[in-house]
Amino acid sequence: MADHGNDHGDVDQDSTDEAARRTATSRRAFLGTVGVATVGLTAVTAGQSVGLLHVTNLFGPRSQGGSPQQLPVNRTAAGAAVEAAATDPAWRLHLAGAASLAMDRTELSSLPQTAVTLPVACVEGWSVSAHWVGVRVRDLMAAVDASTGARLRFTSLEPNGVYRISEMGPEFAQHPTTLVALQLNGQTLSLDHGYPARLIAPGRPGVLQTKWLSRIEVAG
Amino acid sequence: MKVLRSFGLAWGLAAALGVLVSRTALTRYADRLQAPTRMPAVAPPTAEPAPDPAVRRARAVVGGVGLLVLLTGVWKVLHVVQPASYVWLLVWLGGAVVLHDAVLAPVLTLLRAGTHRGLPALPEPAVALVKAGFLVGGLLVLVVVPEIWAQHLGPLNPTVLPGSYARRLLVALVVVAAVTLTGVAVVLRRSRASGPGEAPSRSVR
């Protein structure tokens, strides 16, 4: 090649340049491709959190439709080893402020109920809204003379686990949509969703929405 | 704990320094390797003119901010991650490099080599379509393969990874390929109908 002088070299150089130009990506093509890829990937995954896109949820790791009570589960009752304790008729929710009280599900149900729509927003990336009915935490704690500025500690029936205990400041505890939930999407809370009673509060990650509640007390 | 964290920070700094130094050295070495072959072709490449002091100062400021952000990131990571998991952090970070260099880059190089000859024969919009098809398909694979792997390992409960992702991925890839090919066919027909003006003379297989 080198012996043949410059002509051939130049021609080759030109055709290579031409090929490079033809295979180079134009700005319009680049933006169009990125746009299609973004919209497409969103459309086939966002349905795990966005109800409207549920139909096109091909690749989201969670799905609302296939889950019990239209809400995915991270930790099941079996996984948390609470099945026996949670279905025990002797279960009581223990409340401790200045006074203390223990209530079963029937007593909790007879208190004024509040309905809220709040999501379980998991740090894993999914977030699903649900309809909850239960008793306001601030009403329960007022019944045991807890101060309105108190920080509360919620303990689960779980024998162990990182999130067996959660705490919340008064800004959450006094909020009117912070509930001890007894019902989920029109049904009795299922065992995997925290039966007999669970915490649901706005603006907190799912792992802090303590399930299978056993005790609510003023944190020392 | 404290000792491990300081060790981790020192390691991070040393690694960053190592990357910077080795990169400079490698660039110099590559320049020296390339220099003789480049020389006879054209006039010797003129060196980049020395930057203005103002430009140099701006670069220093921007670089300094970048370095600070980097250090904050390293510091935060070392606090968020349990010292006992530092090894796994290294495996995870190193895994990304290995995956990129040992899997992704060779696959892309092969793909480019394979399409290098055929693609320029197509009109430009068709080339763009083929590229878009590969990109969308590739992204889908990147997103879904970890799900298939996790499913294979066994999810924690039935609400985790409930779909038949492998089958859906195959179908989706077929759909992407079909849409791409249809688009290419439409472009080709149009370019033929409008005469040989834009389209190259070589016929397409």
Side-chain angles (χ1 to χ4, degrees), chain A residues 19-20 22 33-34 47 56 62 97 101 107 119 142 171 191 198:
Chain A
R22 295 197 70 86
T33 304
V34 171
T56 58
R62 300 296 191 135
L101 256 175
E107 287 168 306
E171 69 278 18
L191 201 52
R198 78 172 293 171

Side-chain angles (χ1 to χ4, degrees), chain A residues 39-146:
Chain A
V39 171
L41 279 178
T42 305
V44 292
T45 53
Q48 69 169 344
S49 296
V50 183
L52 278 178
L53 292 175
H54 178 68
V55 190
T56 58
N57 180 19
L58 295 176
F59 298 117
R62 300 296 191 135
S63 102
Q64 278 169 271
S67 304
Q69 303 184 322
Q70 288 80 54
L71 185 67
V73 176
N74 251 21
R75 194 160 160 83
T76 59
V82 296
E83 282 165 309
T87 50
D88 187 347
W91 176 85
R92 297 285 186 278
L93 178 61
H94 299 273
L95 307 168
S100 48
L101 256 175
M103 293 184 182
D104 63 13
R105 248 189 85 96
T106 321
E107 287 168 306
L108 286 168
S109 308
S110 65
L111 294 172
Q113 303 288 303
T114 304
V116 300
T117 302
L118 282 177
V120 167
C122 183
V123 288
E124 280 177 8
W126 58 272
S127 168
V128 172
S129 230
H131 189 70
W132 309 89
V133 175
V135 189
R136 281 187 179 139
V137 166
R138 68 178 189 196
D139 294 352
L140 286 173
M141 294 317 282
V144 288
D145 302 325

Side-chain angles (χ1 to χ4, degrees), chain A residues 23 25 58-62 73, chain B residues 120 131 147 157 159 161 165 168:
Chain A
T23 50
T25 308
L58 295 176
F59 298 117
R62 300 296 191 135
V73 176
Chain B
K131 278 185 187 168
E147 291 182 322
N157 74 63
T159 72
L161 298 167
Y165 298 101
R168 288 177 191 173

Side-chain angles (χ1 to χ4, degrees), chain B residues 20-197:
Chain B
L20 286 177
V21 169
S22 61
R23 192 172 159 265
T24 315
L26 274 176
T27 312
R28 286 220 181 116
Y29 179 64
D31 281 352
R32 237 187 332 174
L33 278 186
Q34 276 184 353
T37 53
R38 242 193 234 159
M39 285 308 233
V42 273
T46 44
E48 209 178 308
D52 205 61
V55 172
R56 216 179 293 170
R57 241 174 289 142
R59 277 184 189 164
V61 169
V62 171
V65 170
L67 202 67
L68 268 182
V69 171
L70 207 77
L71 284 179
T72 315
V74 171
W75 185 247
K76 284 276 174 199
V77 161
L78 292 177
H79 274 79
V80 168
V81 177
Q82 303 276 331
S85 308
Y86 281 174
V87 175
W88 289 113
L89 181 67
L90 285 186
V91 169
W92 188 72
L93 287 171
V97 175
V98 169
L99 267 183
H100 178 273
D101 288 7
V103 181
L104 204 56
V107 165
L108 285 181
T109 307
L110 283 178
L111 256 181
R112 281 189 83 123
T115 53
H116 181 74
R117 302 245 161 104
L119 273 187
L122 295 173
E124 259 174 45
V127 174
L129 273 176
V130 171
K131 278 185 187 168
F134 273 119
L135 187 107
V136 171
L139 283 176
L140 262 181
V141 169
L142 281 185
V143 168
V144 182
V145 163
E147 291 182 322
I148 296 171
W149 176 244
Q151 215 172 21
H152 167 74
L153 292 181
L156 221 52
N157 74 63
T159 72
V160 183
L161 298 167
S164 43
Y165 298 101
R167 197 186 317 154
R168 288 177 191 173
L169 178 62
L170 277 181
V171 173
L173 288 178
V174 168
V175 169
V176 168
V179 169
T180 307
L181 288 178
T182 311
V184 170
V186 168
V187 169
L188 281 183
R189 183 168 300 173
R190 267 197 206 153
S191 75
R192 260 180 219 148
S194 68

